[in-house]
């Protein structure tokens, strides 16, 4: 019955209205198709961009993000140093003013975990520790590297047949850095205290090595206040 009624209404509808209604359907379908086509093109472009970016990320080194963050941080530090130098301020002092006590303590703990000082075990371990400390201080000079690369070309990269003896002349800045580092090592070495030999004639006022260290520490801080009491006890004249 509904189909019959629909056909009856269509038969009674004027021809112009039917044509207009058909054109409206066609225009609506064309507009929808155009919108779908635009969205499809946008999705295709975005997908292509994501594929290109992913390919770039896959070609980068595994730790590229960390290196990038490190380089950005170094650039900020250099800019901050230049600003402090222009204002006549000490960068280290300004940096310490911006660091909280909690951050400083956390970084100190992290530094100790990264390179803990376990004391002297043997000369090989001490030499390795010094080598690691010196290599961390090396800052590559890319400008000088490019100049040497242009000057020597492939000879800059030695092989087993290369003769390097007597060909390298260090720069004045490099010599100054080496001299400054050696002076720091000498200054640090002078602060070391040599191991005191055991004195057989000294009074034995301790029961073990730990107690001896405690007595020496107590004598160093309170000896001048207790000297008279100690003398009276030794003479037997103490009240």
């Amino acid at each position: 019955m509904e189909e019959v009624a629909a056909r009856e209404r269509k038969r009674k509808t004027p021809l112009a209205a039917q044509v207009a209604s058909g054109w409206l359907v066609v225009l609506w379908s064309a507009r929808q198709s155009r919108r779908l086509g635009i969205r499809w093109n946008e999705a295709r472009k975005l997908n292509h961009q994501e594929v290109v970016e992913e390919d770039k990320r896959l070609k980068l080194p595994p730790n590229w993000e960390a290196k990038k963050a490190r380089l950005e941080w170094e650039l900020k530090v250099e800019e901050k140093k230049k600003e402090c130098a222009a204002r006549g301020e000490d960068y280290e002092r300004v940096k310490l003013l911006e660091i909280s006590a909690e951050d400083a303590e956390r970084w100190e703990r992290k530094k100790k975990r990264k390179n803990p000082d376990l004391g002297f075990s043997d000369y090989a371990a001490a030499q390795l520790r010094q080598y690691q400390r010196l290599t961390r201080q090396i800052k590559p000079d890319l400008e000088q590297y490019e100049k040497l690369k242009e000057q020597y070309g492939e000879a800059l990269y030695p092989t087993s047949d290369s003769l390097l003896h007597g060909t390298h002349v260090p720069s004045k800045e490099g010599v100054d850095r080496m001299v400054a580092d050696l002076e720091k090592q000498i200054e640090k070495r002078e602060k070391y205290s040599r191991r005191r030999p055991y004195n057989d004639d000294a009074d034995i006022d301790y029961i073990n090595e730990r107690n001896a260290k405690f007595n020496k520490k107590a004598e160093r801080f309170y000896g001048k206040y207790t000297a008279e009491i100690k003398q009276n006890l030794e003479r037997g004249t103490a009240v």
Side-chain angles (χ1 to χ4, degrees):
M1 294 295 293
E2 293 181 358
E3 294 180 359
V4 173
R7 285 199 298 269
E8 186 66 21
R9 284 196 302 271
K10 185 176 181 182
R11 185 179 61 82
K12 292 180 180 180
T13 303
L15 181 61
Q18 294 181 14
V19 172
S21 178
W23 275 108
L24 288 175
V25 173
V26 171
L27 290 175
W28 181 83
S29 300
R31 184 174 296 177
Q32 289 297 106
S33 299
R34 185 180 179 186
R35 288 179 180 176
L36 291 174
I38 292 173
R39 290 184 179 180
W40 185 83
N41 287 330
E42 290 178 353
R44 182 174 57 82
K45 290 179 181 179
L46 292 175
N47 188 28
H48 178 69
Q49 291 176 0
E50 289 295 330
V51 170
V52 172
E53 292 296 328
E54 184 178 3
D55 183 64
K56 288 182 180 179
R57 289 194 298 268
L58 292 176
K59 290 181 180 178
L60 292 173
N63 57 345
W64 166 249
E65 293 297 333
K67 287 184 178 180
K68 183 180 179 182
R70 177 74 179 181
L71 291 174
E72 291 176 353
W73 176 78
E74 290 180 354
L75 288 175
K76 290 181 181 178
V77 170
E78 291 297 329
E79 292 177 358
K80 190 72 174 178
K81 286 183 179 180
K82 291 180 181 179
E83 293 177 1
C84 294
R87 295 195 300 265
E89 298 176 348
D90 185 8
Y91 169 74
E92 296 296 333
R93 186 178 181 84
V94 173
K95 183 180 71 173
L96 292 175
L97 292 175
E98 297 177 354
I99 298 175
S100 63
E102 292 80 4
D103 292 338
E105 186 177 358
R106 186 175 67 254
W107 291 340
E108 188 67 23
R109 289 198 303 266
K110 185 177 179 181
K111 187 190 300 182
K112 288 182 179 179
R113 287 198 304 267
K114 186 176 181 181
N115 190 18
D117 187 3
L118 303 177
F120 180 83
S121 58
D122 52 35
Y123 289 101
Q127 187 177 12
L128 176 61
R129 182 178 175 83
Q130 183 180 14
Y131 170 77
Q132 292 174 347
R133 179 181 61 81
L134 294 176
T135 51
R136 282 196 301 269
Q137 297 177 0
I138 296 176
K139 295 182 179 179
D141 189 352
L142 298 180
E143 295 181 0
Q144 183 67 16
Y145 170 74
E146 293 296 336
K147 291 180 181 178
L148 294 174
K149 189 176 179 181
E150 293 177 359
Q151 181 179 357
Y152 295 103
E154 293 297 330
L156 184 63
Y157 310 102
T159 62
S160 58
D161 299 327
S162 301
L163 296 177
L164 301 177
H165 181 69
T167 59
H168 175 69
V169 179
S171 61
K172 184 178 182 300
E173 292 79 7
V175 174
D176 292 340
R177 285 197 303 269
M178 183 190 70
V179 172
D181 184 75
L182 289 175
E183 289 178 351
K184 287 182 181 179
Q185 294 182 31
I186 294 172
E187 183 181 358
K188 186 176 181 180
R189 198 178 297 120
E190 289 176 350
K191 295 180 181 179
Y192 292 157
S193 59
R194 61 182 177 82
R195 186 176 180 84
R196 269 63 174 178
Y198 178 75
N199 186 8
D200 294 330
D201 298 331
D203 294 334
I204 299 177
D205 56 355
Y206 55 89
I207 57 176
N208 52 34
E209 187 71 19
R210 185 176 181 181
N211 181 242
K213 291 181 180 180
F214 176 81
N215 292 342
K216 288 180 181 179
K217 193 177 295 185
E219 178 68 23
R220 185 163 62 249
F221 288 102
Y222 305 107
K224 59 182 179 180
Y225 306 110
T226 60
E228 185 177 355
I229 298 175
K230 185 176 181 181
Q231 292 173 3
N232 291 334
L233 289 172
E234 290 176 350
R235 291 194 301 265
T237 58
V239 178

